[in-house]
Amino acid sequence: MSLRYALLALLRVGPLSGYELQKQFSLSVGHVWHAPDSQIYPELRKMEAEHLIEGEEQPRGQRATRRVYHVTDAGEQAFLTWMHTPLEYARVRDPAHLRAAYLEAAAPDAARDFFRAHINQWERELAQWEGELLRIDEVANPMLVRRLAVTEPEDRERTIAFKRFTYEGLVDRARGEISWAKRGLRLIDELQHAGSGVRSDPNSAHV
Amino acid sequence: MSLRYALLALLRVGPLSGYELQKQFSLSVGHVWHAPDSQIYPELRKMEAEHLIEGEEQPRGQRATRRVYHVTDAGEQAFLTWMHTPLEYARVRDPAHLRAAYLEAAAPDAARDFFRAHINQWERELAQWEGELLRIDEVANPMLVRRLAVTEPEDRERTIAFKRFTYEGLVDRARGEISWAKRGLRLIDELQHAGSGVRSDPNSAHV
DNA sequence: CAGCACATGTAAGACGTTACATGATTGG
DNA sequence: CCAATCATGTAACGTCTTACATGTGCTG
């Protein structure tokens, strides 16, 4: 259900074709809500069928066309209503912590690989989100620029502040995951030393 | 795909009926991987069809039966193989941060409600996970007890350590979400004061 | 004998993933 | 004229949610 609101959020800044939308999507909202084009195009059609958006066929070159969508009043309403409705949280479903809970079944090296991969995964997300923070501060994100262009001056501060705040939260989360995984690596070392004779060494401080 | 490994992880401690499994599930693995019974029973049947587990019909009272499953060698292998295989991470899909990024479209009070609900949501998760940490320290979780009973003495420390470590990670995450949402509440206050005349007051410190 | 726990599902639909498919336009 | 990019999907499959369905056994 969130996909359509992610799309509405983008379209609210002004008309966009499915293709443009899909491109901008992966550079903005896509950072918090991933969706492939094979999901975006059909969803746009569905939203059009429900009159949340309207598409207009535009000529492109000689033979081709493209469909440019804009938000209807009903769509704007739907977006605002969603904004004022309690969120539905997805149930926990976390493969990394699932595996971590049973790492005693893995060889220490495999456990290390797992944590290294976890670090790697979140380092990449972190880089994305930190990059986005920079682009917010420099007002360099194209969608943010378009957004600000259609925003009342007195609302611009808020608009920027919430985006900044969102990405700060994501950055914090990524750092949390990374530091957890680093502690995991240390834990494996400690357990291995404990296991190989040093058993109850009071100096092998546990976290 | 993770569901079956969550089930295998539980079944590895010894035979369980679908019903017991489902009950224990919600009290242990369910804390990291939610699944309703309507998903568990069919998955068990599928796993049996693939020879990862075997079910045995047991009489219950006069007419009723129950099906008790145990892990086969192939199932044990599958679990260990999964343990040594890189995890597949789900793409980001985070409704809370999606909404946060566009909170300028909501009335301040609605934005506050959103953050309060977020805090509430994660406080509840936090309580769950902290409770589980306690039950780990007191070795009071029934599944952990059964697990330790079939674990070589030299592996017991590792077994407990990884469970503890897992829940510590979850607790950290919950705390992170809560503190983010609390900062969100402060941000709304600041923006509202800034908006109502105090505009460029150098004393309204931003985070 | 009532009510709760035990016990096991099915069915329909939403949502997501992956792979496949196709053609037009534009710039070098 | 060739490659990149513009442009828009379909099809099959797997996962998850929600609601419904049904009956037995035990305990007070």
Side-chain angles (χ1 to χ4, degrees):
Chain A
M1 216 26 5
S2 290
L3 174 55
R4 71 172 43 186
Y5 299 105
L7 291 169
L8 280 175
L10 280 191
L11 272 177
R12 265 169 31 104
V13 313
L16 287 167
S17 73
Y19 185 78
E20 287 174 294
L21 201 45
Q22 178 245 109
K23 288 290 153 193
Q24 292 312 317
F25 197 92
S26 60
L27 298 174
S28 56
V29 201
H31 290 139
V32 289
W33 193 275
H34 167 81
D37 36 339
S38 66
Q39 217 189 340
I40 291 178
Y41 287 114
E43 182 66 22
L44 288 171
R45 289 291 181 168
K46 271 178 65 187
M47 289 163 71
E48 187 172 19
E50 296 174 36
H51 307 293
L52 304 176
I53 60 178
E54 264 169 18
E56 204 189 332
E57 210 71 25
Q58 281 188 357
R60 182 172 70 97
Q62 302 305 305
R63 262 173 301 279
T65 62
R66 61 184 210 148
R67 198 162 182 80
V68 175
Y69 293 97
H70 63 92
V71 178
T72 64
D73 288 350
E76 177 73 11
Q77 260 314 308
F79 182 79
L80 294 177
T81 300
W82 175 73
M83 263 295 166
H84 290 85
T85 301
L87 256 200
E88 284 173 44
Y89 287 83
R91 319 301 285 268
V92 211
R93 214 164 259 129
D94 183 334
H97 283 72
L98 170 59
R99 181 170 292 183
Y102 297 97
L103 271 182
E104 72 270 10
D109 279 339
R112 283 195 187 87
D113 286 346
F114 162 70
F115 284 122
R116 288 198 203 100
H118 195 75
I119 290 168
N120 209 272
Q121 166 73 15
W122 287 98
E123 294 273 21
R124 269 176 298 135
E125 304 271 24
L126 179 61
Q128 285 257 320
W129 291 328
E130 283 183 328
E132 200 51 35
L133 265 187
L134 274 182
R135 278 186 291 282
I136 290 169
D137 287 339
E138 295 165 0
V139 197
N141 177 303
M143 270 298 139
L144 177 57
V145 172
R146 296 181 70 161
R147 168 90 280 196
L148 292 174
V150 297
T151 301
E152 302 294 322
E154 66 269 25
D155 283 337
R156 290 195 188 130
E157 184 187 0
R158 286 156 47 74
T159 303
I160 294 180
F162 283 122
K163 292 210 180 5
R164 192 159 215 303
F165 175 70
T166 299
Y167 282 96
E168 281 171 4
L170 294 168
V171 163
D172 290 350
R173 175 187 298 176
R175 289 196 209 285
E177 292 294 331
I178 292 166
S179 90
W180 175 74
K182 286 186 175 167
R183 278 194 290 139
L185 288 174
R186 285 201 299 277
L187 176 60
I188 295 169
D189 290 344
E190 288 161 16
L191 289 171
Q192 220 169 13
H193 294 148
S196 59
V198 205
R199 276 270 118 195
S200 44
D201 178 2
N203 293 324
S204 73
H206 283 239
V207 184
Chain B
M1 220 13 18
S2 291
L3 174 56
R4 72 172 42 186
Y5 299 106
L7 291 170
L8 280 175
L10 279 192
L11 273 177
R12 264 170 30 104
V13 313
L16 287 168
S17 74
Y19 186 76
E20 287 175 294
L21 201 45
Q22 181 243 108
K23 288 292 154 189
Q24 292 311 318
F25 197 92
S26 60
L27 298 173
S28 57
V29 202
H31 290 139
V32 290
W33 193 273
H34 168 83
D37 36 339
S38 67
Q39 215 189 340
I40 290 178
Y41 287 114
E43 181 67 22
L44 287 171
R45 289 289 181 172
K46 272 179 64 186
M47 288 163 72
E48 186 172 20
E50 296 174 38
H51 307 292
L52 303 176
I53 60 179
E54 265 169 17
E56 203 189 333
E57 209 71 24
Q58 282 187 356
R60 182 172 71 96
Q62 303 305 305
R63 265 174 299 280
T65 62
R66 60 183 210 150
R67 199 167 181 78
V68 175
Y69 293 98
H70 63 91
V71 179
T72 63
D73 289 350
E76 177 73 12
Q77 261 313 309
F79 183 79
L80 295 177
T81 301
W82 175 72
M83 263 294 166
H84 290 86
T85 302
L87 258 201
E88 283 173 43
Y89 286 83
R91 319 301 284 269
V92 211
R93 212 165 261 127
D94 184 333
H97 282 74
L98 170 59
R99 181 170 294 183
Y102 297 97
L103 272 182
E104 72 271 10
D109 279 337
R112 282 194 188 90
D113 286 345
F114 162 70
F115 284 123
R116 287 197 204 103
H118 195 74
I119 290 168
N120 210 272
Q121 166 75 15
W122 286 99
E123 294 272 21
R124 269 177 298 134
E125 303 270 26
L126 179 60
Q128 285 257 320
W129 291 328
E130 282 183 328
E132 201 50 37
L133 265 186
L134 274 183
R135 279 186 290 280
I136 291 170
D137 287 340
E138 296 165 0
V139 197
N141 178 304
M143 272 296 140
L144 178 56
V145 172
R146 296 181 70 158
R147 167 91 281 195
L148 291 174
V150 297
T151 300
E152 302 294 323
E154 67 268 25
D155 284 335
R156 291 195 188 130
E157 183 186 0
R158 287 155 47 74
T159 302
I160 294 179
F162 282 123
K163 290 207 183 6
R164 191 158 216 303
F165 175 70
T166 299
Y167 282 95
E168 281 172 3
L170 294 168
V171 162
D172 289 351
R173 177 188 297 174
R175 288 196 209 285
E177 292 295 332
I178 291 165
S179 91
W180 174 74
K182 286 186 174 167
R183 278 195 288 140
L185 288 174
R186 286 201 297 277
L187 176 60
I188 295 169
D189 289 343
E190 287 161 15
L191 289 170
Q192 219 170 12
H193 294 148
S196 60
V198 205
R199 272 275 113 194
S200 44
D201 177 3
N203 292 323
S204 74
H206 284 239
V207 184

